[in-house]
Amino acid sequence: MSSVAVLTPESFAEHRSGLKDQEIIGCVPEDEAYIPTYLEAFPPLPEKGAPGEKAAPAWGSKIRPIKASVITQVFHVPLEERRYKDNSQFGEGEEAKVCLDIMQRTEAHIELSLAKDQGLSVMVTGKVDSVMKARKEIVARLQTQASTAVVIPKEHHRFVIGKNGEKLQELELKTATKVVVPRPDDPSANIRIAGTKEGIEKARHEILLISAEQDKRAVERLPLEKAFHPFISGPHNRLVQELSQETGARISVPPTSLPKDEIVVTGEKEAVALALGRIRAIYDDKKRKTTTISVEVKKSQHKYIVGPKGNTLQEILEATGVSVEMPPLDSGSETIILRGEPDELGPALTQVYSKAKSVMVMDVTAPAWLHRFIIGKKGQNIGRITQQLPRVHIEFTDGEERINLEGPTEEVQQAQAQIQEIIKDLLVRMDYTEVIVDQRFHRHLIGKNGTNINRIKEQYKVSVRIPQDSERSSLVRIEGDPKGVQLARRELIEMVQRMENERTKDLVVEHKFHRTIIGQKGEKIKEVRDKFPEVIINFPDPAQKSNVVQLRGPKSEVEKCAKFLQKMIADLIESSFSLSVPIFKQFHKNIIGKGGANIKKIREETNTKIDLPTENSNSEMIAITGKKGNCEAARDRILAIQRELANIKETEVTIPAKLHNSLIGSKGCLVRAVMEECGGVHIHFPSEGSTSDKVTIRGPAGEVEKAKKQLLQLAEEKQVNNFTAELQAKPEYHKFLIGRGGANVRRVRDRTGARIIFPSTDDPEQELITIVGKEEAVRQAQNELECLIKNLDDVVEDSMDVDVRHHRHFVCRRGQVLRELAEEYGSVAVSFPRTGANSQRVSLKGAKDCVEAAKKRIREIIKDLESQVSVEVTIPQRYHRAIMGPKGSRIQHITREHEVQIKFPERDDANAGQEASPQESGHVCPDAELVPRKCDVVAILGRAEKCEVAKAALLALVPITEDVEVSNELHRYVIGQKGSGIRKMMEEYEALRSFKATVSVEPKFHPKIIGRKGAVVSQIRKDHDVNIQFPDKGDEQQDLIVVSGYEGNVEEACEAIRQLVAELQEMVSQDVPLDPRTHARIIGARGKAIRKLMEEFKVDIRFPPPGSDEPDKVTVTGLPETVDNAVEHLLNLEDEYLLSMTETERLAAYMKPPSRCGGGGGGTGGPEDGTGTPAKGFVVRDAPWNAAEYKALDMSSADDFLTFGKAVAPKQRSAWGPKKF
């Protein structure tokens, strides 16, 4: 058997003190001036009494218990009950592992020790719940288990389980056992208990106690006629409540609506028997004395007899002692039964009739279509009646020609008269009619946004009701003034007749003309609609790209409108002819003329649209749009201006159409080269698909002849050299065939003179290689390429040795170098040994030539690696970001071009703000130039000569600032029209990033965007390569954040800030009152605890500053669900810490003398109390030294105070410490 000792502060306090008669509350007695007597302050020790006599405690009768949040339990596990009996490694075996696991799961502290009898002593410390759970697990896992069964009546099982199983859980924790109660559908009455012997005995005892308590209770069911239940319950259930209070039993009478006769009485057996006797006596008495009468009352009046919640029936029962039995609501019976003593039946019947006739129900006949006019606009008419007669209830029923009135008789009659008067008036001045209209015309009657129907309503002062589509009705109802109704009816019928005669026509109009037909802000289409008002013109949605325009209206009008639109479209097609005229750029301003006079005159006289390229565009083409003849006339006039300004000649050359594409070249490169070489002449080829052989050359006379000669020469060469051959090769071989830097294909081209064209990535035939040139050259090149391809198809395996230190270069960056080798040398496979294998052997597999070429390239790479040096270049840290470029593009370009590696140093944020240019600081420190900062040194790794070139390229990227003096009146010319000049200059010379944008953010969100130590804003700056500036305290616009950098990056950064603000706006703040004494413990050492809490709940917690007006106000900010969880956790922590503080204060109070607690100073122990007067010290009354016969000791007497020899004077010390010799 195990034993348990629970050590709590309560037991410690009871053991330590003995105050029984006086309770100490907060260490302050009721009377602050109270001075204890000597016997109270120093009670004598109890004298030895008679054997067996228990001495009363001298320190009072009762001590107020102190609740503790931490308890300690110690229990013993005998050797024979230990599960693990191997004592060779105590503290390291299975027992220690089990205890460690339990400690982690329950957060309780467990200590094990071994007794002399090899039994196990276990001490568990922690909070009450943790200790109970830990003890249960220890017993289950370290102690051998037994089981037994307890048999109690089945109906007692639910009392063992308790509400929601709480009692069963408490029993299991208390006894450290497992209790299994059979399910309700299981006939067994056995409750099984598993655990230690001691725990089983305790649990068995508790279960038997519960069962014994239930044995004392009784449940009785008394079947009595339902009709007599009201007499047992009494008016408003008062009688049954009095019975329950008097007898102590619980009496349950079924409600009137439940057809049950049983009255259930539960409680102690004696109380139940007493209650049953009283109930039977009432029943027998009423059954003997009462009689019944039946009356017929209209069913509609029954509810007035019952009253709200049956109160009227209870009032009759209370006043007369008569029970009124009403038939069920779903029954058609109108018979009411009154049950009671004969003398009281008369008054009760009078009350029943009085209640039944207290309310009158009446119907007023009115046409259903008049109901809404009777009610009035927003219920005005009916509202006046209900305000005058508030107890009258008026009910309208849809589709029925009657109005229900309910209320007191006089008021109902008044309401009836008023409503009938309203109906009579409405019938005189109102009329209605119904028109049958096909459902498909309903929406046309209504019109767009209800325009048609609203016009009819306003014009004729009528109400028109058109049924909803869901009603599938064709009946349109018109209500209002009789004359207006007839006029509205006539117009509706005319509209329907027109719609029946109308037709729909689809007109095919190219989508590109739709916007032109509609016109700016719909002006042109408005003119068409005004001309044909009866025709509805519907254009398709722009997103559908449909060419169908729908016309709907009367047949004749639709035809006229269609012809008009077709003519308009024909004019548009005719006037949409477009041609381009090449005009030398220097003559564009002459064509425009002063103030646009020339171009305006040409436009007006030729009725064309002429578009010139923008000033900063390189295009020389002028576009002319309009009718074909007009466009050609405008072109001739523009060319005439050019001819007048320069010696321009135009000639035509005949070249076969099949050669045109080859002469033009890829994207016009060949013909463009001829035009540039010949002084900017214009060469115009016929449009594609034309069979014309005429090529037009226009320009200065000498240059035109030169261009003509070159074109004819090229055409002749193309005819001779236009032989073509094709061959197939795998796409992976193409790069090897081309060679590094095009070396292989250039060698073939130089030997044969043929042109070899490889497919681009967009070509569908990726294996097709085209050879163009003279036939002999093409054949020779074809043979050479076929030989190379054949060699590539012969796969071989080879190997070579590569020093282990160079392996990483080939396999790093996910094998970037190996991928490049495979792409360049016909997909040759290069395999390096695994890391740590310490092998130099590298395997190659692929075509023989590819393998040899790959080996050669690997040797070149190794040679480069071995000859690599590291060069350092000093560049101030503030320029690093500008040098790197967007997403490091500039650095990547230098590393690729010069085959080097560039490493930038870590950013030194601490000194970034201290850095200043010589121009800014006004002086230069000479030592600063000699010893560069570590964060300014950029390392370049590669071959010496390439590192120097890369260094120069890096230094060239360092931004410089130079001031140029430009007269103020010239600034606008530098900027150009709408900034085109300065923008072109910035794009051409890559000026510094200067695009700025502002984001409006409430100042309260600024600290969140900045983040802890600037973490959040620094991350945004780093991700988007921008500069973010927050407003200063003195700025007027405190909500504007300025973002500067490249335009694309600035937009992305602004969007990131807006998204962050959107998340912050979803957050809520909640103030929590927390006792200021607990703040320090919640925050923890250096804020460690509060930071952990904020990270756990994803919230921000702010404590009030010292000296705050609200020292207990703590603000929690975050998402709603996280804030609720965090607040609940904070309140739990506060309760726990306050409980701990209260225990400490109470324990401290018991250690203080009574007089100090009541002196007002709180027992500070100082020379003065709280009022500033000298403290009296510890004072008692009736002390022995205050007695008259008491003689004080003489302090100067050697007899009373003995001496202990001569005093030795203390050695004098120096203020400067001991002397040193």
Side-chain angles (χ1 to χ4, degrees):
M1 298 297 289
S2 61
S3 58
V4 179
V6 182
L7 306 179
T8 64
E10 290 90 347
S11 58
F12 168 74
E14 287 186 6
H15 174 73
R16 181 186 163 280
S17 58
L19 296 176
K20 294 283 182 181
D21 300 327
Q22 179 183 353
E23 252 188 349
I24 296 176
I25 301 172
C27 303
V28 181
E30 293 179 3
D31 184 6
E32 290 186 356
Y34 177 76
I35 298 174
T37 64
Y38 180 79
L39 290 176
E40 287 175 343
F42 305 101
L45 294 173
E47 295 181 3
K48 189 175 181 182
E53 183 183 348
K54 188 173 181 180
W59 291 92
S61 59
K62 193 175 184 181
I63 294 179
R64 185 177 180 179
I66 302 172
K67 294 182 180 179
S69 61
V70 177
I71 66 167
T72 301
Q73 281 196 4
V74 181
F75 56 94
H76 188 70
V77 180
L79 175 63
E80 60 273 11
E81 293 184 13
R82 282 179 59 187
R83 181 163 289 179
Y84 307 103
K85 298 181 181 179
D86 183 12
N87 300 326
S88 58
Q89 293 182 337
F90 181 72
E92 298 179 3
E94 289 297 324
E95 289 176 338
K97 291 179 182 178
V98 169
C99 288
L100 190 62
D101 180 48
I102 295 170
M103 286 168 66
Q104 289 175 348
R105 293 203 288 124
T106 62
E107 297 183 356
H109 180 69
I110 302 171
E111 291 184 12
L112 298 179
S113 60
L114 210 59
K116 289 183 180 180
D117 60 355
Q118 297 303 306
L120 193 66
S121 293
V122 185
M123 183 169 72
V124 187
T125 306
K127 294 182 181 178
V128 178
D129 291 344
S130 300
V131 169
M132 300 304 285
K133 290 176 183 176
R135 180 173 179 266
K136 182 182 176 183
E137 285 206 36
I138 289 169
V139 168
R141 296 172 67 178
L142 294 185
Q143 201 166 352
T144 55
Q145 303 292 297
S147 65
T148 187
V150 181
V151 181
I152 62 172
K154 187 76 176 177
E155 56 269 19
H156 295 175
H157 286 192
R158 61 191 182 92
F159 300 103
V160 175
I161 297 170
K163 187 178 181 181
N164 297 326
E166 291 175 0
K167 197 157 189 178
L168 183 62
Q169 291 175 9
E170 184 184 349
L171 178 64
E172 288 182 339
L173 280 174
K174 188 176 177 182
T175 61
T177 58
K178 178 67 177 174
V179 180
V180 181
V181 180
R183 296 177 64 83
D185 53 0
D186 188 348
S188 173
N190 293 344
I191 297 177
R192 300 202 63 79
I193 310 169
T196 62
K197 292 180 181 177
E198 181 187 6
I200 289 171
E201 288 300 321
K202 285 184 178 180
R204 184 173 179 276
H205 176 69
E206 291 290 337
I207 291 168
L208 292 174
L209 277 178
I210 292 168
S211 179
E213 287 178 9
Q214 297 306 316
D215 280 337
K216 297 177 183 178
R217 300 180 65 81
V219 179
E220 290 290 341
R221 302 179 186 276
L222 191 61
L224 298 176
E225 289 180 51
K226 184 78 175 177
F228 293 94
H229 286 190
F231 300 111
I232 295 167
S233 299
H236 304 288
N237 289 326
R238 290 197 198 106
L239 185 56
V240 77
Q241 289 171 7
E242 290 173 5
L243 279 174
S244 293
Q245 289 175 0
E246 290 175 11
T247 61
R250 183 180 175 185
I251 303 169
S252 177
V253 179
T256 312
S257 58
L258 195 66
K260 288 182 70 175
D261 292 339
E262 283 187 348
I263 295 175
V264 181
V265 185
T266 58
E268 299 288 340
K269 290 182 179 179
E270 295 177 1
V272 168
L274 184 60
L276 285 174
R278 296 282 296 276
I279 291 168
R280 286 186 183 280
I282 295 169
Y283 171 73
D284 293 341
D285 180 59
K286 291 297 179 183
K287 193 168 185 178
R288 186 177 63 256
K289 292 181 179 179
T290 59
T291 184
T292 62
I293 60 171
S294 300
V295 293
E296 296 291 327
V297 179
K298 287 184 180 179
K299 190 75 175 180
S300 59
Q301 293 178 317
H302 285 197
K303 58 183 178 180
Y304 310 120
I305 299 170
V306 175
K309 297 181 181 179
N311 285 339
T312 305
L313 295 178
Q314 297 295 328
E315 289 171 4
I316 295 171
L317 178 63
E318 184 175 17
T320 63
V322 175
S323 169
V324 181
E325 300 170 18
M326 307 295 297
L329 292 174
D330 54 357
S331 168
S333 173
E334 295 184 343
T335 304
I336 298 174
I337 300 172
L338 280 71
R339 188 184 302 274
E341 296 182 11
D343 297 342
E344 301 295 338
L345 287 174
L349 185 60
T350 304
Q351 287 196 33
V352 167
Y353 278 121
S354 173
K355 296 293 183 185
K357 292 181 180 179
S358 62
V359 177
M360 181 182 183
V361 178
M362 183 179 289
D363 291 341
V364 178
T365 303
W369 66 273
L370 272 183
H371 285 188
R372 59 195 191 88
F373 297 104
I374 296 168
I375 294 169
K377 191 175 182 181
K378 295 183 180 179
Q380 288 178 353
N381 296 343
I382 210 70
R384 281 196 295 270
I385 298 172
T386 53
Q387 285 175 5
Q388 294 173 8
L389 309 167
R391 292 189 292 173
V392 176
H393 175 68
I394 305 171
E395 184 179 349
F396 293 83
T397 308
D398 288 340
E400 293 187 10
E401 297 192 344
R402 60 188 178 85
I403 303 168
N404 299 320
L405 306 180
E406 181 182 316
T409 305
E410 293 181 2
E411 293 188 7
V412 166
Q413 289 172 351
Q414 291 179 32
Q416 180 194 17
Q418 291 184 32
I419 290 172
Q420 284 176 341
E421 189 176 338
I422 292 171
I423 294 168
K424 185 178 178 182
D425 177 59
L426 287 172
L427 287 172
V428 170
R429 61 185 182 84
M430 298 289 288
D431 193 9
Y432 82 95
T433 186
E434 293 178 342
V435 183
I436 295 174
V437 179
D438 196 313
Q439 262 192 294
R440 59 196 173 97
F441 298 136
H442 286 184
R443 62 190 183 92
H444 304 301
L445 288 179
I446 295 168
K448 190 175 182 180
N449 297 326
T451 51
N452 294 343
I453 203 70
N454 289 336
R455 179 181 57 80
I456 292 171
K457 287 179 180 178
E458 290 174 6
Q459 185 175 349
Y460 302 115
K461 308 298 181 187
V462 294
S463 172
V464 182
R465 185 185 179 280
I466 298 176
Q468 298 286 338
D469 292 342
S470 57
E471 296 180 25
R472 299 188 178 280
S473 172
S474 301
L475 202 64
V476 176
R477 189 183 186 93
I478 309 168
E479 300 166 350
D481 180 71
K483 187 178 178 182
V485 167
Q486 294 305 319
L487 291 172
R489 179 177 180 277
R490 187 182 306 134
E491 183 164 345
L492 281 179
I493 291 171
E494 287 175 0
M495 287 176 69
V496 171
Q497 287 173 350
R498 282 201 306 271
M499 283 186 283
E500 286 175 345
N501 296 327
E502 79 174 14
R503 62 164 292 187
T504 301
K505 184 172 184 177
D506 291 339
L507 207 61
V508 178
V509 182
E510 283 188 58
H511 189 270
K512 63 181 180 180
F513 295 129
H514 289 187
R515 188 182 292 273
T516 311
I517 295 170
I518 294 168
Q520 190 174 10
K521 295 183 180 178
E523 291 174 356
K524 290 187 177 180
I525 198 65
K526 187 175 182 295
E527 292 174 6
V528 178
R529 283 174 175 153
D530 291 342
K531 192 170 184 178
F532 303 98
E534 296 182 10
V535 179
I536 298 172
I537 306 171
N538 290 324
F539 284 85
D541 192 325
Q544 295 177 356
K545 302 289 184 184
S546 173
N547 295 331
V548 178
V549 177
Q550 191 181 70
L551 309 180
R552 192 180 69 250
K555 184 177 180 180
S556 58
E557 292 296 312
V558 167
E559 290 298 331
K560 290 178 185 177
C561 184
K563 286 179 182 179
F564 181 82
L565 286 175
Q566 283 169 349
K567 186 176 181 303
M568 183 188 288
I569 294 159
D571 292 341
L572 281 173
I573 293 171
E574 187 181 358
S575 62
S576 63
F577 177 79
S578 179
L579 58 82
S580 298
V581 186
I583 301 295
F584 292 104
K585 192 79 175 179
Q586 63 266 30
F587 299 135
H588 283 197
K589 60 182 179 181
N590 303 97
I591 291 167
I592 294 169
K594 190 173 183 180
N598 292 351
I599 196 73
K600 186 177 181 182
K601 186 178 179 182
I602 296 169
R603 283 170 177 162
E604 289 175 354
E605 291 180 359
T606 61
N607 193 23
T608 56
K609 180 184 177 186
I610 303 173
D611 295 319
L612 283 83
T614 57
E615 187 180 349
N616 56 350
S617 170
N618 294 324
S619 173
E620 296 183 341
M621 305 301 287
I622 296 176
I624 307 171
T625 307
K627 293 182 180 179
K628 186 175 181 181
N630 295 347
C631 289
E632 290 173 350
R635 179 189 63 185
D636 294 340
R637 293 186 62 171
I638 291 170
L639 288 172
I641 294 172
Q642 182 178 239
R643 277 195 297 269
E644 289 173 8
L645 295 169
N647 182 20
I648 303 299
K649 180 184 177 182
E650 183 175 315
T651 187
E652 290 183 350
V653 184
T654 302
I655 297 173
K658 64 179 182 178
L659 297 178
H660 287 186
N661 284 340
S662 58
L663 288 176
I664 293 169
S666 177
K667 297 181 180 178
C669 61
L670 194 56
V671 75
R672 196 161 51 244
V674 174
M675 287 192 292
E676 289 172 0
E677 189 177 339
C678 299
V681 297
H682 289 293
I683 302 173
H684 179 67
F685 285 84
S687 58
E688 191 174 355
S690 172
T691 56
S692 175
D693 294 340
K694 302 293 182 183
V695 178
T696 307
I697 307 172
R698 185 187 303 115
E703 300 298 333
V704 167
E705 290 300 325
K706 186 179 177 182
K708 179 180 177 182
K709 185 178 178 182
Q710 285 197 20
L711 273 181
L712 292 172
Q713 187 179 350
L714 277 170
E716 186 180 351
E717 288 177 3
K718 292 291 180 184
Q719 278 184 319
V720 174
N721 302 328
N722 210 26
F723 184 80
T724 303
E726 295 177 348
L727 57 92
Q728 302 280 336
K730 294 178 182 178
E732 55 264 28
Y733 293 164
H734 289 187
K735 282 202 174 183
F736 180 74
L737 293 173
I738 295 167
R740 187 174 177 80
N744 295 347
V745 77
R746 197 182 305 116
R747 199 179 304 119
V748 175
R749 189 185 302 131
D750 292 344
R751 280 201 299 270
T752 63
R755 185 180 171 206
I756 303 167
I757 304 169
F758 286 85
S760 65
T761 52
D762 299 329
D763 290 339
E765 290 288 339
Q766 287 292 308
E767 295 187 356
L768 191 67
I769 300 173
T770 307
I771 308 169
V772 182
K774 294 181 181 179
E775 185 175 359
E776 185 182 350
V778 168
R779 297 296 182 195
Q780 187 181 350
Q782 185 178 7
N783 291 335
E784 287 193 23
L785 287 175
E786 284 175 349
C787 184
L788 283 171
I789 293 166
K790 186 177 179 182
N791 291 338
L792 290 174
D793 287 333
D794 297 333
V795 178
V796 297
E797 290 189 16
D798 201 352
S799 62
M800 62 184 296
D801 289 341
V802 177
D803 198 319
V804 176
R805 61 196 172 96
H806 298 313
H807 287 193
R808 187 176 180 278
H809 174 78
F810 289 92
V811 299
C812 68
R813 301 194 304 277
R814 298 182 182 178
Q816 176 67 26
V817 178
L818 295 181
R819 283 201 303 275
E820 291 173 0
L821 284 171
E823 289 175 7
E824 195 169 339
Y825 299 104
S827 297
V828 64
V830 184
S831 302
F832 278 77
R834 290 180 175 276
T835 307
N838 202 23
S839 171
Q840 296 185 358
R841 184 66 61 187
V842 176
S843 301
L844 296 92
K845 184 179 180 181
K848 185 177 180 181
D849 291 346
C850 294
V851 169
E852 290 301 323
K855 285 173 68 176
K856 183 180 177 182
R857 177 61 187 146
I858 290 171
R859 291 191 187 99
E860 288 176 4
I861 293 170
I862 293 168
K863 188 177 179 182
D864 285 345
L865 289 172
E866 289 175 344
S867 62
Q868 277 188 353
V869 296
S870 179
V871 176
E872 292 183 349
V873 55
T874 303
I875 300 173
Q877 178 182 307
R878 64 179 179 274
Y879 299 137
H880 288 185
R881 183 173 291 176
I883 291 170
M884 290 178 185
K887 299 181 180 178
S889 58
R890 293 176 180 171
I891 291 300
Q892 290 169 12
H893 175 71
I894 293 173
T895 54
R896 280 197 306 269
E897 186 178 355
H898 302 293
E899 297 179 355
V900 294
Q901 295 179 23
I902 301 174
K903 184 178 180 183
F904 281 82
E906 294 290 332
R907 186 175 179 82
D908 185 5
D909 292 324
N911 298 321
Q914 300 172 7
E915 183 182 357
S917 64
Q919 293 88 343
E920 292 169 350
S921 59
H923 67 277
V924 180
C925 178
D927 296 336
E929 296 181 0
L930 296 174
V931 184
R933 299 186 308 160
K934 190 175 179 182
C935 62
D936 294 341
V937 178
V938 180
I940 307 173
L941 187 67
R943 300 190 74 162
E945 62 276 11
K946 292 184 178 180
C947 286
E948 291 301 326
V949 178
K951 178 180 177 181
L954 274 180
L955 291 172
L957 291 173
V958 176
I960 61 170
T961 303
E962 188 173 341
D963 295 332
V964 181
E965 290 188 6
V966 180
S967 180
N968 190 47
E969 58 268 17
L970 298 177
H971 285 190
R972 60 194 182 95
Y973 299 107
V974 176
I975 295 169
Q977 188 179 9
K978 296 182 179 178
S980 59
I982 197 71
R983 191 159 51 248
K984 182 179 178 183
M985 193 185 301
M986 290 170 66
E987 289 171 359
E988 188 173 349
Y989 299 105
E990 295 185 1
L992 292 174
R993 302 174 301 173
S994 60
F995 183 80
K996 288 186 179 181
T998 56
V999 185
S1000 179
V1001 178
E1002 291 184 45
K1004 66 179 181 180
F1005 295 130
H1006 289 189
K1008 300 290 183 183
I1009 297 171
I1010 295 169
R1012 184 178 175 81
K1013 296 183 179 179
V1016 178
V1017 76
S1018 297
Q1019 188 64 37
I1020 296 174
R1021 286 173 178 152
K1022 184 178 178 183
D1023 291 346
H1024 302 286
D1025 189 24
V1026 294
N1027 182 36
I1028 301 173
Q1029 187 175 359
F1030 287 83
D1032 295 329
K1033 289 184 178 178
D1035 290 351
E1036 293 181 3
Q1037 295 178 319
Q1038 287 289 310
D1039 60 332
L1040 290 185
I1041 299 173
V1042 181
V1043 186
S1044 58
Y1046 291 111
E1047 185 173 357
N1049 296 354
V1050 167
E1051 293 299 332
E1052 291 176 5
C1054 290
E1055 186 58 33
I1057 291 172
R1058 291 189 192 99
Q1059 190 174 356
L1060 182 59
V1061 171
E1063 292 174 2
L1064 292 171
Q1065 285 174 339
E1066 291 179 8
M1067 295 185 178
V1068 297
S1069 294
Q1070 184 175 341
D1071 294 336
V1072 190
L1074 295 179
D1075 194 306
R1077 294 176 296 170
T1078 63
H1079 289 188
R1081 291 189 66 178
I1082 293 172
I1083 294 168
R1086 297 183 180 178
K1088 186 177 179 182
I1090 198 65
R1091 277 198 302 275
K1092 183 179 177 183
L1093 198 149
M1094 288 193 290
E1095 289 172 5
E1096 181 181 350
F1097 290 98
K1098 308 295 183 191
V1099 294
D1100 182 60
I1101 302 173
R1102 298 288 175 185
F1103 286 84
S1108 172
D1109 295 336
E1110 298 176 305
D1112 61 341
K1113 180 182 173 183
V1114 177
T1115 305
V1116 185
T1117 306
L1119 295 174
E1121 58 273 15
T1122 58
V1123 167
D1124 292 341
N1125 295 337
V1127 167
E1128 186 178 354
H1129 185 74
L1130 284 173
L1131 293 173
N1132 290 339
L1133 285 177
E1134 182 195 32
D1135 292 344
E1136 183 180 334
Y1137 294 155
L1138 284 177
L1139 185 61
S1140 176
M1141 289 178 185
T1142 307
E1143 292 166 2
T1144 306
E1145 290 170 0
R1146 286 178 177 171
L1147 282 172
Y1150 284 118
M1151 308 298 289
K1152 296 180 182 178
S1155 62
R1156 292 194 180 185
C1157 292
T1164 60
E1168 294 184 0
D1169 60 11
T1171 61
T1173 57
K1176 298 179 181 179
F1178 184 67
V1179 181
V1180 295
R1181 294 181 287 112
D1182 302 333
W1185 52 81
N1186 290 337
E1189 63 276 7
Y1190 179 78
K1191 181 183 178 183
L1193 298 175
D1194 185 3
M1195 296 180 66
S1196 61
S1197 170
D1199 295 332
D1200 292 338
F1201 297 93
L1202 301 176
T1203 59
F1204 294 93
K1206 189 176 181 181
V1208 180
K1211 185 183 287 186
Q1212 189 172 2
R1213 293 175 179 262
S1214 170
W1216 298 96
K1219 293 181 180 180
K1220 296 182 179 178
F1221 298 97

